[in-house]
Amino acid sequence: MSDTAVPRTPSKPVTGRPADREGGAGRHGNASRRIADGLRAAILSGELPPGSRIRQEEVAAQYGASRIPVRGALNILQSDGLVTLIANAGAWVAQLNLAECEEAYQLREQIEPLLISASLPGLTAEKLDRMDDLAARMERAATPEDFLHLDREFHDLSYSGAETVVLADFVCRLWNMTQQYRLAFYRLFEEQGSEIVHDEHRMLVRALREGDADQAGLVMRGHIRRTRQALAQHPELFDGARPGAS
Amino acid sequence: MSDTAVPRTPSKPVTGRPADREGGAGRHGNASRRIADGLRAAILSGELPPGSRIRQEEVAAQYGASRIPVRGALNILQSDGLVTLIANAGAWVAQLNLAECEEAYQLREQIEPLLISASLPGLTAEKLDRMDDLAARMERAATPEDFLHLDREFHDLSYSGAETVVLADFVCRLWNMTQQYRLAFYRLFEEQGSEIVHDEHRMLVRALREGDADQAGLVMRGHIRRTRQALAQHPELFDGARPGAS
DNA sequence: TCCCATGGAATTGGATACAATAGACCCACC
DNA sequence: GGTGGGTCTATTGTATCCAATTCCATGGGA
């Protein structure tokens, strides 16, 4: 009797870090989720660079659990596209080559304008103010890590007005897949700090304040497209054995 | 030493049924994958309708395995968007409401034209002939199940020329997520058999033969858009407790 | 000197057994 | 008669142990 019509929504990450729900506790319930969150954070922060191997036993010891929940966590991360599992061989942090990364950016180009349009009606003035604040803090960011963190917060906020599920999940997945390469990319420009990005962010907030969804979509599309083309000019970020990857 | 640069490609499903690689054996290696494939087939065929509960023990007994690989399979399917897992509660076949299904179709509208463009250069004359054959057989399909199966084969083939990874994976995911609702949809029109679909398929093959990627993309976009709008006129396919869902 | 086969070790995959949580049912109480 | 609490069962999550596979190194041969 209780088998029908139980969970309506797929309970997906939405936009921000996944699995922030559960009331924040999660102390006992599922170690898999907790480990997955920890590993995800490590991967997204660059602590675990692409291509690095993940050994079940190490992770289990690190989190004070057995290998079973670690395997669950790895499965979850594989579904997020952050980890590559090969049967009877092991797990590695997912690695994209230039072509795959460009695919991800082409996808973002196509679907993020949709998401910003869906989000616009739900963006309150308070949220837009916070976006302005984040954009300003981004201009003063000291390190690429800080910059990227603020950048993600900014865009997450810009999408927070959307009540979509599938769309937001896909966008989140694409952001996660490419996060490490954005980090490597911005490390190249640590000193100069591209001014264009800040202009684009201001343009985005302006368009959102004016309620112009089409304009906001165009800004986003240009923003992503420009980044994609800039990335394509630095193939050394891919394939090449990363310095501290061992 | 062996930790760097091992698996380049994320080893994703590509377009067709996932995990058809592995040399076809897979007898012993990973039961998780085998169970996931079985469950996926059951879900996509409609045998397990949306909202139905999946009990680990039942599946384990059915496949002659323990619950551990079943858990792995459920994680995989969750990542595919086919299953909803709730900690300490259980697993259910993922269920979309009308809004979420429309999101999926909006996404398809945006990204499948990209995929057909990427696929066009790799489409041989032989493949195009097979597409013609499939389109013809679709016109004579007896049941919605047959029709849908042929339809998927047709479109999979149309995308088989693409060497993309991320793009094809996303499209495959969207097809899987919405497959059950397409089935329900076509069951409504079992008798009349929409003629438009066949026209669109012929138009697609024609555009592909002429090497007109833009035209092919437009056909696909229209094809998907029309289906989305038709679906929106049948909200009874969603939410409502399905007949044999118990 | 290079290549291939064979051994061992490390790592992953799976089965069984145990603990903990969530839901359901029943009963007492208001 | 309705509601709250309590217990009980079914199901899921985790730990420990064992088997299978893969990778690496070493040794023999061409």
mmCIF file with all atom_site columns, all heavy atoms in Angstrom, chain B residues 164-179:
data_model
loop_
_atom_site.group_PDB
_atom_site.id
_atom_site.type_symbol
_atom_site.label_atom_id
_atom_site.label_alt_id
_atom_site.label_comp_id
_atom_site.label_asym_id
_atom_site.label_entity_id
_atom_site.label_seq_id
_atom_site.pdbx_PDB_ins_code
_atom_site.Cartn_x
_atom_site.Cartn_y
_atom_site.Cartn_z
_atom_site.occupancy
_atom_site.B_iso_or_equiv
_atom_site.pdbx_formal_charge
_atom_site.auth_seq_id
_atom_site.auth_comp_id
_atom_site.auth_asym_id
_atom_site.auth_atom_id
_atom_site.pdbx_PDB_model_num
ATOM 1   N N   . THR B 1 164 ? 31.233 12.247 -29.330 1.00 0.00 ? 164 THR B N   1
ATOM 2   C CA  . THR B 1 164 ? 31.136 12.987 -28.079 1.00 0.00 ? 164 THR B CA  1
ATOM 3   C C   . THR B 1 164 ? 30.960 12.027 -26.911 1.00 0.00 ? 164 THR B C   1
ATOM 4   O O   . THR B 1 164 ? 30.555 10.883 -27.076 1.00 0.00 ? 164 THR B O   1
ATOM 5   C CB  . THR B 1 164 ? 29.946 13.942 -28.103 1.00 0.00 ? 164 THR B CB  1
ATOM 6   O OG1 . THR B 1 164 ? 28.769 13.174 -28.288 1.00 0.00 ? 164 THR B OG1 1
ATOM 7   C CG2 . THR B 1 164 ? 30.086 14.945 -29.220 1.00 0.00 ? 164 THR B CG2 1
ATOM 8   N N   . VAL B 1 165 ? 31.247 12.515 -25.746 1.00 0.00 ? 165 VAL B N   1
ATOM 9   C CA  . VAL B 1 165 ? 31.112 11.701 -24.551 1.00 0.00 ? 165 VAL B CA  1
ATOM 10  C C   . VAL B 1 165 ? 30.103 12.348 -23.609 1.00 0.00 ? 165 VAL B C   1
ATOM 11  O O   . VAL B 1 165 ? 29.074 11.763 -23.267 1.00 0.00 ? 165 VAL B O   1
ATOM 12  C CB  . VAL B 1 165 ? 32.468 11.541 -23.840 1.00 0.00 ? 165 VAL B CB  1
ATOM 13  C CG1 . VAL B 1 165 ? 32.291 10.757 -22.558 1.00 0.00 ? 165 VAL B CG1 1
ATOM 14  C CG2 . VAL B 1 165 ? 33.463 10.865 -24.760 1.00 0.00 ? 165 VAL B CG2 1
ATOM 15  N N   . VAL B 1 166 ? 30.387 13.569 -23.228 1.00 0.00 ? 166 VAL B N   1
ATOM 16  C CA  . VAL B 1 166 ? 29.526 14.267 -22.285 1.00 0.00 ? 166 VAL B CA  1
ATOM 17  C C   . VAL B 1 166 ? 28.148 14.495 -22.893 1.00 0.00 ? 166 VAL B C   1
ATOM 18  O O   . VAL B 1 166 ? 27.117 14.192 -22.277 1.00 0.00 ? 166 VAL B O   1
ATOM 19  C CB  . VAL B 1 166 ? 30.167 15.609 -21.876 1.00 0.00 ? 166 VAL B CB  1
ATOM 20  C CG1 . VAL B 1 166 ? 29.317 16.300 -20.844 1.00 0.00 ? 166 VAL B CG1 1
ATOM 21  C CG2 . VAL B 1 166 ? 31.576 15.394 -21.367 1.00 0.00 ? 166 VAL B CG2 1
ATOM 22  N N   . LEU B 1 167 ? 28.156 14.994 -24.093 1.00 0.00 ? 167 LEU B N   1
ATOM 23  C CA  . LEU B 1 167 ? 26.898 15.325 -24.764 1.00 0.00 ? 167 LEU B CA  1
ATOM 24  C C   . LEU B 1 167 ? 26.016 14.091 -24.919 1.00 0.00 ? 167 LEU B C   1
ATOM 25  O O   . LEU B 1 167 ? 24.832 14.098 -24.561 1.00 0.00 ? 167 LEU B O   1
ATOM 26  C CB  . LEU B 1 167 ? 27.241 15.922 -26.133 1.00 0.00 ? 167 LEU B CB  1
ATOM 27  C CG  . LEU B 1 167 ? 26.151 16.569 -26.952 1.00 0.00 ? 167 LEU B CG  1
ATOM 28  C CD1 . LEU B 1 167 ? 25.368 17.560 -26.114 1.00 0.00 ? 167 LEU B CD1 1
ATOM 29  C CD2 . LEU B 1 167 ? 26.762 17.282 -28.155 1.00 0.00 ? 167 LEU B CD2 1
ATOM 30  N N   . ALA B 1 168 ? 26.591 13.021 -25.432 1.00 0.00 ? 168 ALA B N   1
ATOM 31  C CA  . ALA B 1 168 ? 25.815 11.804 -25.638 1.00 0.00 ? 168 ALA B CA  1
ATOM 32  C C   . ALA B 1 168 ? 25.311 11.254 -24.317 1.00 0.00 ? 168 ALA B C   1
ATOM 33  O O   . ALA B 1 168 ? 24.189 10.743 -24.235 1.00 0.00 ? 168 ALA B O   1
ATOM 34  C CB  . ALA B 1 168 ? 26.666 10.762 -26.362 1.00 0.00 ? 168 ALA B CB  1
ATOM 35  N N   . ASP B 1 169 ? 26.129 11.365 -23.305 1.00 0.00 ? 169 ASP B N   1
ATOM 36  C CA  . ASP B 1 169 ? 25.711 10.857 -21.997 1.00 0.00 ? 169 ASP B CA  1
ATOM 37  C C   . ASP B 1 169 ? 24.514 11.642 -21.467 1.00 0.00 ? 169 ASP B C   1
ATOM 38  O O   . ASP B 1 169 ? 23.557 11.067 -20.958 1.00 0.00 ? 169 ASP B O   1
ATOM 39  C CB  . ASP B 1 169 ? 26.882 10.961 -21.016 1.00 0.00 ? 169 ASP B CB  1
ATOM 40  C CG  . ASP B 1 169 ? 26.493 10.544 -19.625 1.00 0.00 ? 169 ASP B CG  1
ATOM 41  O OD1 . ASP B 1 169 ? 25.872 9.476  -19.492 1.00 0.00 ? 169 ASP B OD1 1
ATOM 42  O OD2 . ASP B 1 169 ? 26.798 11.283 -18.676 1.00 0.00 ? 169 ASP B OD2 1
ATOM 43  N N   . PHE B 1 170 ? 24.549 12.938 -21.611 1.00 0.00 ? 170 PHE B N   1
ATOM 44  C CA  . PHE B 1 170 ? 23.434 13.756 -21.131 1.00 0.00 ? 170 PHE B CA  1
ATOM 45  C C   . PHE B 1 170 ? 22.167 13.443 -21.910 1.00 0.00 ? 170 PHE B C   1
ATOM 46  O O   . PHE B 1 170 ? 21.079 13.348 -21.332 1.00 0.00 ? 170 PHE B O   1
ATOM 47  C CB  . PHE B 1 170 ? 23.784 15.244 -21.254 1.00 0.00 ? 170 PHE B CB  1
ATOM 48  C CG  . PHE B 1 170 ? 24.492 15.793 -20.054 1.00 0.00 ? 170 PHE B CG  1
ATOM 49  C CD1 . PHE B 1 170 ? 25.710 15.283 -19.644 1.00 0.00 ? 170 PHE B CD1 1
ATOM 50  C CD2 . PHE B 1 170 ? 23.925 16.815 -19.304 1.00 0.00 ? 170 PHE B CD2 1
ATOM 51  C CE1 . PHE B 1 170 ? 26.356 15.778 -18.533 1.00 0.00 ? 170 PHE B CE1 1
ATOM 52  C CE2 . PHE B 1 170 ? 24.566 17.311 -18.181 1.00 0.00 ? 170 PHE B CE2 1
ATOM 53  C CZ  . PHE B 1 170 ? 25.782 16.803 -17.803 1.00 0.00 ? 170 PHE B CZ  1
ATOM 54  N N   . VAL B 1 171 ? 22.301 13.297 -23.201 1.00 0.00 ? 171 VAL B N   1
ATOM 55  C CA  . VAL B 1 171 ? 21.113 12.991 -24.006 1.00 0.00 ? 171 VAL B CA  1
ATOM 56  C C   . VAL B 1 171 ? 20.547 11.637 -23.605 1.00 0.00 ? 171 VAL B C   1
ATOM 57  O O   . VAL B 1 171 ? 19.333 11.474 -23.447 1.00 0.00 ? 171 VAL B O   1
ATOM 58  C CB  . VAL B 1 171 ? 21.466 13.027 -25.504 1.00 0.00 ? 171 VAL B CB  1
ATOM 59  C CG1 . VAL B 1 171 ? 20.339 12.432 -26.329 1.00 0.00 ? 171 VAL B CG1 1
ATOM 60  C CG2 . VAL B 1 171 ? 21.751 14.454 -25.938 1.00 0.00 ? 171 VAL B CG2 1
ATOM 61  N N   . CYS B 1 172 ? 21.441 10.666 -23.430 1.00 0.00 ? 172 CYS B N   1
ATOM 62  C CA  . CYS B 1 172 ? 20.987 9.333  -23.019 1.00 0.00 ? 172 CYS B CA  1
ATOM 63  C C   . CYS B 1 172 ? 20.242 9.412  -21.695 1.00 0.00 ? 172 CYS B C   1
ATOM 64  O O   . CYS B 1 172 ? 19.195 8.781  -21.510 1.00 0.00 ? 172 CYS B O   1
ATOM 65  C CB  . CYS B 1 172 ? 22.177 8.397  -22.915 1.00 0.00 ? 172 CYS B CB  1
ATOM 66  S SG  . CYS B 1 172 ? 21.763 6.719  -22.430 1.00 0.00 ? 172 CYS B SG  1
ATOM 67  N N   . ARG B 1 173 ? 20.777 10.179 -20.791 1.00 0.00 ? 173 ARG B N   1
ATOM 68  C CA  . ARG B 1 173 ? 20.137 10.331 -19.489 1.00 0.00 ? 173 ARG B CA  1
ATOM 69  C C   . ARG B 1 173 ? 18.728 10.919 -19.635 1.00 0.00 ? 173 ARG B C   1
ATOM 70  O O   . ARG B 1 173 ? 17.769 10.445 -19.007 1.00 0.00 ? 173 ARG B O   1
ATOM 71  C CB  . ARG B 1 173 ? 21.009 11.247 -18.636 1.00 0.00 ? 173 ARG B CB  1
ATOM 72  C CG  . ARG B 1 173 ? 20.629 11.356 -17.191 1.00 0.00 ? 173 ARG B CG  1
ATOM 73  C CD  . ARG B 1 173 ? 21.539 12.370 -16.517 1.00 0.00 ? 173 ARG B CD  1
ATOM 74  N NE  . ARG B 1 173 ? 22.947 12.028 -16.643 1.00 0.00 ? 173 ARG B NE  1
ATOM 75  C CZ  . ARG B 1 173 ? 23.628 11.396 -15.690 1.00 0.00 ? 173 ARG B CZ  1
ATOM 76  N NH1 . ARG B 1 173 ? 23.036 11.060 -14.576 1.00 0.00 ? 173 ARG B NH1 1
ATOM 77  N NH2 . ARG B 1 173 ? 24.901 11.123 -15.864 1.00 0.00 ? 173 ARG B NH2 1
ATOM 78  N N   . LEU B 1 174 ? 18.604 11.913 -20.477 1.00 0.00 ? 174 LEU B N   1
ATOM 79  C CA  . LEU B 1 174 ? 17.290 12.538 -20.656 1.00 0.00 ? 174 LEU B CA  1
ATOM 80  C C   . LEU B 1 174 ? 16.308 11.565 -21.296 1.00 0.00 ? 174 LEU B C   1
ATOM 81  O O   . LEU B 1 174 ? 15.132 11.509 -20.912 1.00 0.00 ? 174 LEU B O   1
ATOM 82  C CB  . LEU B 1 174 ? 17.428 13.797 -21.514 1.00 0.00 ? 174 LEU B CB  1
ATOM 83  C CG  . LEU B 1 174 ? 18.069 14.980 -20.804 1.00 0.00 ? 174 LEU B CG  1
ATOM 84  C CD1 . LEU B 1 174 ? 18.418 16.079 -21.791 1.00 0.00 ? 174 LEU B CD1 1
ATOM 85  C CD2 . LEU B 1 174 ? 17.117 15.523 -19.733 1.00 0.00 ? 174 LEU B CD2 1
ATOM 86  N N   . TRP B 1 175 ? 16.785 10.810 -22.274 1.00 0.00 ? 175 TRP B N   1
ATOM 87  C CA  . TRP B 1 175 ? 15.905 9.825  -22.895 1.00 0.00 ? 175 TRP B CA  1
ATOM 88  C C   . TRP B 1 175 ? 15.424 8.811  -21.868 1.00 0.00 ? 175 TRP B C   1
ATOM 89  O O   . TRP B 1 175 ? 14.250 8.457  -21.816 1.00 0.00 ? 175 TRP B O   1
ATOM 90  C CB  . TRP B 1 175 ? 16.650 9.106  -24.025 1.00 0.00 ? 175 TRP B CB  1
ATOM 91  C CG  . TRP B 1 175 ? 16.570 9.820  -25.335 1.00 0.00 ? 175 TRP B CG  1
ATOM 92  C CD1 . TRP B 1 175 ? 17.242 10.948 -25.683 1.00 0.00 ? 175 TRP B CD1 1
ATOM 93  C CD2 . TRP B 1 175 ? 15.757 9.465  -26.456 1.00 0.00 ? 175 TRP B CD2 1
ATOM 94  N NE1 . TRP B 1 175 ? 16.914 11.307 -26.955 1.00 0.00 ? 175 TRP B NE1 1
ATOM 95  C CE2 . TRP B 1 175 ? 16.012 10.419 -27.461 1.00 0.00 ? 175 TRP B CE2 1
ATOM 96  C CE3 . TRP B 1 175 ? 14.867 8.430  -26.709 1.00 0.00 ? 175 TRP B CE3 1
ATOM 97  C CZ2 . TRP B 1 175 ? 15.379 10.364 -28.704 1.00 0.00 ? 175 TRP B CZ2 1
ATOM 98  C CZ3 . TRP B 1 175 ? 14.240 8.378  -27.957 1.00 0.00 ? 175 TRP B CZ3 1
ATOM 99  C CH2 . TRP B 1 175 ? 14.498 9.336  -28.928 1.00 0.00 ? 175 TRP B CH2 1
ATOM 100 N N   . ASN B 1 176 ? 16.349 8.342  -21.032 1.00 0.00 ? 176 ASN B N   1
ATOM 101 C CA  . ASN B 1 176 ? 15.967 7.351  -20.027 1.00 0.00 ? 176 ASN B CA  1
ATOM 102 C C   . ASN B 1 176 ? 14.962 7.916  -19.038 1.00 0.00 ? 176 ASN B C   1
ATOM 103 O O   . ASN B 1 176 ? 14.000 7.249  -18.655 1.00 0.00 ? 176 ASN B O   1
ATOM 104 C CB  . ASN B 1 176 ? 17.206 6.869  -19.286 1.00 0.00 ? 176 ASN B CB  1
ATOM 105 C CG  . ASN B 1 176 ? 18.033 5.909  -20.110 1.00 0.00 ? 176 ASN B CG  1
ATOM 106 O OD1 . ASN B 1 176 ? 17.589 5.442  -21.151 1.00 0.00 ? 176 ASN B OD1 1
ATOM 107 N ND2 . ASN B 1 176 ? 19.226 5.622  -19.651 1.00 0.00 ? 176 ASN B ND2 1
ATOM 108 N N   . MET B 1 177 ? 15.199 9.156  -18.630 1.00 0.00 ? 177 MET B N   1
ATOM 109 C CA  . MET B 1 177 ? 14.314 9.755  -17.634 1.00 0.00 ? 177 MET B CA  1
ATOM 110 C C   . MET B 1 177 ? 12.888 9.870  -18.146 1.00 0.00 ? 177 MET B C   1
ATOM 111 O O   . MET B 1 177 ? 11.934 9.772  -17.382 1.00 0.00 ? 177 MET B O   1
ATOM 112 C CB  . MET B 1 177 ? 14.819 11.152 -17.261 1.00 0.00 ? 177 MET B CB  1
ATOM 113 C CG  . MET B 1 177 ? 16.018 11.159 -16.338 1.00 0.00 ? 177 MET B CG  1
ATOM 114 S SD  . MET B 1 177 ? 16.649 12.835 -16.109 1.00 0.00 ? 177 MET B SD  1
ATOM 115 C CE  . MET B 1 177 ? 15.205 13.622 -15.380 1.00 0.00 ? 177 MET B CE  1
ATOM 116 N N   . THR B 1 178 ? 12.740 10.112 -19.444 1.00 0.00 ? 178 THR B N   1
ATOM 117 C CA  . THR B 1 178 ? 11.416 10.397 -19.978 1.00 0.00 ? 178 THR B CA  1
ATOM 118 C C   . THR B 1 178 ? 10.793 9.220  -20.712 1.00 0.00 ? 178 THR B C   1
ATOM 119 O O   . THR B 1 178 ? 9.639  9.298  -21.140 1.00 0.00 ? 178 THR B O   1
ATOM 120 C CB  . THR B 1 178 ? 11.491 11.589 -20.950 1.00 0.00 ? 178 THR B CB  1
ATOM 121 O OG1 . THR B 1 178 ? 12.483 11.315 -21.947 1.00 0.00 ? 178 THR B OG1 1
ATOM 122 C CG2 . THR B 1 178 ? 11.867 12.860 -20.210 1.00 0.00 ? 178 THR B CG2 1
ATOM 123 N N   . GLN B 1 179 ? 11.560 8.142  -20.820 1.00 0.00 ? 179 GLN B N   1
ATOM 124 C CA  . GLN B 1 179 ? 11.087 7.014  -21.632 1.00 0.00 ? 179 GLN B CA  1
ATOM 125 C C   . GLN B 1 179 ? 9.709  6.519  -21.191 1.00 0.00 ? 179 GLN B C   1
ATOM 126 O O   . GLN B 1 179 ? 8.827  6.267  -22.005 1.00 0.00 ? 179 GLN B O   1
ATOM 127 C CB  . GLN B 1 179 ? 12.100 5.865  -21.539 1.00 0.00 ? 179 GLN B CB  1
ATOM 128 C CG  . GLN B 1 179 ? 11.616 4.562  -22.129 1.00 0.00 ? 179 GLN B CG  1
ATOM 129 C CD  . GLN B 1 179 ? 12.348 4.200  -23.395 1.00 0.00 ? 179 GLN B CD  1
ATOM 130 O OE1 . GLN B 1 179 ? 13.144 4.969  -23.921 1.00 0.00 ? 179 GLN B OE1 1
ATOM 131 N NE2 . GLN B 1 179 ? 12.080 3.021  -23.901 1.00 0.00 ? 179 GLN B NE2 1
#
